[in-house]
Amino acid sequence: MKIDLPDRRVEWFPSLDSTMTVAVRLAHEGCASGTVVGADEQTAGIGRAGHAWHSEPDAGLYVSIVLRLALGPESLPLVMLALGLATRDAIADVTGLAPDLRWPNDVLLGEKKCAGILAQMEDDAVIAGIGINVGHSSFPPEIAPLATSLLLAGASVSREEVLGPLVDSVDSSCSVLAQRGPEAICKAFGLASTYAHGRRVRVDQDGTILEGVTRGLDPCGFLLLRQDNGTVTKILAGGVRPI
Ligand code: BTN
């Protein structure tokens, strides 16, 4: 893949186990903020909650970006939201499609996931792992009901076309968080996501299944869920599904 990202360090590999591994190492070595690690394929792509991330060769964009944001670990849920917004915006700009966001940061096209995001702290850096299904024409049967790609959603774009807008969008979304604060990110998420308010969902919270209607985000970026008995519960981790 031809990489054209001026003014930033890019380490691109034909194949890696996971871009996260290399990005974590570079972060510990003190690499600059904005450093991108990418691969044309991952042999052990990491998803959220212990899942694997299907990383077909040359079909998806698989990147980890090292971000030094001067924010503490308590801001990680907000960074997750900012990264979801950034990915959604980049896909919308490049394809003209209108992706939805499912808290905290699944990017959906027609209820199926086209991009997934991890964010982990390493010392003072956040490692943002972003996977976008760009040109997949099919998926393995076990994930086919849940996954889609930009191509399958009707947008024939290259990975190169998505990469530049994605890294720019990550920069600007993180600047919004750093400069305008949590409220701006929570507001933007509320506008971009049909899941933020009034959506009936089921949530797996540490093995406990909760059902209810979403009630927006708290100031830290956690999802609020009003259960049928009236209790409002703060959702701390993913696993939100429509009912
Ligand atoms: C999710 O489960 O929704 C998160 C998926 C994150 C996948 C990306 S692909 C690039 C980076 N490297 C990985 O191994 N995982 C992330």
Side-chain angles (χ1 to χ4, degrees), residues 42 52 85 99 104 123 131 149 183 206 211:
Q42 298 185 114
L85 283 161
D123 299 336
S149 68
E183 218 176 296
D206 293 331
E211 278 189 20

Side-chain angles (χ1 to χ4, degrees), residues 64-119:
S64 295
I65 308 175
V66 180
L67 299 165
R68 300 190 191 278
L69 299 173
L71 297 167
E74 71 287 352
S75 297
L76 202 57
L78 292 159
V79 174
M80 302 264 287
L81 299 182
L83 293 170
L85 283 161
T87 305
R88 179 206 164 273
D89 289 351
I91 292 172
D93 286 351
V94 175
T95 64
L97 299 169
D100 195 4
L101 282 170
R102 182 174 60 204
W103 188 91
N105 56 17
D106 289 340
V107 186
L108 306 177
L109 286 165
E111 294 298 329
K112 289 185 168 188
K113 192 158 157 175
C114 68
I117 297 155
L118 296 173

